[in-house]
Amino acid sequence: MHDYDLLVVGSANADLVIGVERRPAAGETVLGSDLVVHPGGKGANQAVAAARLGARTALLARVGDDAYGRLLLESQRAAGVDTAGVLVGDAPTGVALITVDPSGDNSIVVSPGANARLSPEDVRAAAALLASARVVSLQLEIPLDTVATVAEVVRTARGGADTGEGRGEGTGEGGPRVVLNPSPPAPLPAEVLAVCDPLVVNEHEARFLLGDDPAGREETPDAWAAALLARGPRSVVVTLGAAGALVADRDRTALVPSLPVKAVDTTGAGDAFTGALAWRLGLGEDLETAVRFAVRVGAAAVTRDGAQESFPTAEEVAAL
């Protein structure tokens, strides 16, 4: 038995958003709209997205003992996320400074704050919480050592070496399934890549991880996915914005198209996609089926302003 369909281990930020006619170039000042504060952070976003869809969701994160921290805890609880794993104090809540242009594209600068204090010791202390989830979702707005410790705890739950055998399709059998979105991108140790099922990347993240690999200079997502698979993850999903997503594992590659929608604000859309994907994998769906659902969730999210405020319910997704 599992208490949670999904445990998100990751960041929780206050998003400070300003609309601009165009994003500033280096050294340039532009005027923008009134400042709006939204609950955000990739970890918190994924948890809210999944919970709003109906997932039994928990969050392991750190926030400050301040107004932004209280805002984040309230937003998680309002969505139905279990916040017992959210640690409070030691540093200010993380903040993301976001500019959004009329096309919906955004630029983001993040001050990690308390997110940088989510430690390997915090993960080990929460081993029972990890064991209670079918799927664990990770991002890189927390320390890489902490992400690596989650991978270590998962391997231990699977009985040692991560051979890729005996996982069970999204059931959490032998330890939770791990979904990782390497954002912001950073070099990933082999032991982290080995537990990813899937590794979820956009074009920028794929090219960064591939580095000097010739595949990174290709223009086809198929080439990126194949090269990334060769580095150890069990499966790869390349998100392609309005074009949908590419799904790849050892056996096959498939392109999953998105739905045509008018984008208003892309902030948090990738988190909505990943949270939805992780939940559906926890329900036991195969990867391609889960991605087909997730692209609909991502499409719905871009039709509204904000991050968490834009995330749809299951009924809204079905109505697309």
Side-chain angles (χ1 to χ4, degrees):
M1 294 293 293
H2 296 85
D3 295 328
Y4 304 105
D5 301 316
L6 174 63
L7 169 66
V8 181
V9 182
S11 59
N13 294 326
D15 288 348
L16 279 56
V17 183
I18 299 177
V20 292
E21 284 301 312
R22 58 185 177 83
R23 288 172 287 170
E28 182 183 18
T29 299
V30 300
L31 295 178
S33 67
D34 290 343
L35 175 70
V36 180
V37 180
H38 300 285
K42 288 187 172 297
N45 285 350
Q46 289 182 15
V48 167
R52 194 164 290 166
L53 291 165
R56 298 172 301 160
T57 308
L59 176 66
L60 175 58
R62 275 194 176 273
V63 298
D65 185 10
D66 50 33
Y68 290 150
R70 289 186 286 276
L71 169 69
L72 288 161
L73 285 170
E74 289 167 3
S75 69
Q76 293 291 306
R77 291 165 181 160
V81 177
D82 188 328
T83 59
V86 179
L87 307 169
V88 180
D90 293 339
T93 299
V95 173
L97 308 175
I98 304 172
T99 58
V100 183
D101 69 20
S103 73
D105 285 334
N106 60 67
S107 297
I108 305 174
V109 177
V110 176
S111 172
N115 296 307
R117 277 73 167 182
L118 186 65
S119 68
E121 291 72 23
D122 293 333
V123 171
R124 294 188 183 99
L129 184 61
L130 268 74
S132 68
R134 292 176 177 267
V135 175
V136 172
S137 184
L138 295 159
Q139 326 80 40
L140 299 186
E141 288 184 338
I142 57 175
L144 187 56
D145 285 350
T146 303
V147 172
T149 301
V150 174
E152 175 189 326
V153 171
V154 169
R155 286 196 306 274
T156 299
R158 292 174 180 170
D162 202 336
T163 63
E165 298 176 355
R167 166 175 52 79
E169 288 301 321
T171 64
E173 180 180 343
R177 184 168 184 162
V178 175
V179 175
L180 171 61
N181 172 219
S183 179
L188 294 175
E191 60 269 23
V192 172
L193 284 168
V195 301
C196 296
D197 191 17
L199 177 71
V200 181
V201 294
N202 62 19
E203 176 182 349
H204 172 65
E205 293 151 3
R207 291 184 187 275
F208 178 92
L209 292 178
L210 290 172
D212 294 333
D213 190 315
R217 296 190 289 274
E218 298 285 342
E219 295 300 324
T220 62
D222 304 62
W224 307 333
L228 289 170
L229 280 171
R231 299 185 176 212
R234 300 177 181 192
S235 58
V236 171
V237 173
V238 182
T239 58
L240 303 171
L246 183 85
V247 181
D249 59 22
R250 307 295 178 187
D251 300 319
R252 63 191 299 268
T253 299
L255 179 63
V256 177
S258 186
L259 300 177
V261 295
K262 178 176 174 54
V264 173
D265 183 357
T266 60
T267 306
D271 300 327
F273 173 95
T274 304
L277 169 63
W279 170 48
R280 302 299 282 205
L281 292 174
L283 296 182
E285 290 184 352
D286 65 84
L287 183 58
E288 183 176 342
T289 301
V291 168
R292 289 188 182 281
F293 178 79
V295 296
R296 296 174 66 87
V297 174
V302 303
T303 63
R304 304 175 188 169
D305 287 321
Q308 293 179 19
E309 300 94 323
S310 73
F311 297 161
T313 64
E315 292 76 16
E316 289 168 336
V317 175
L320 278 180

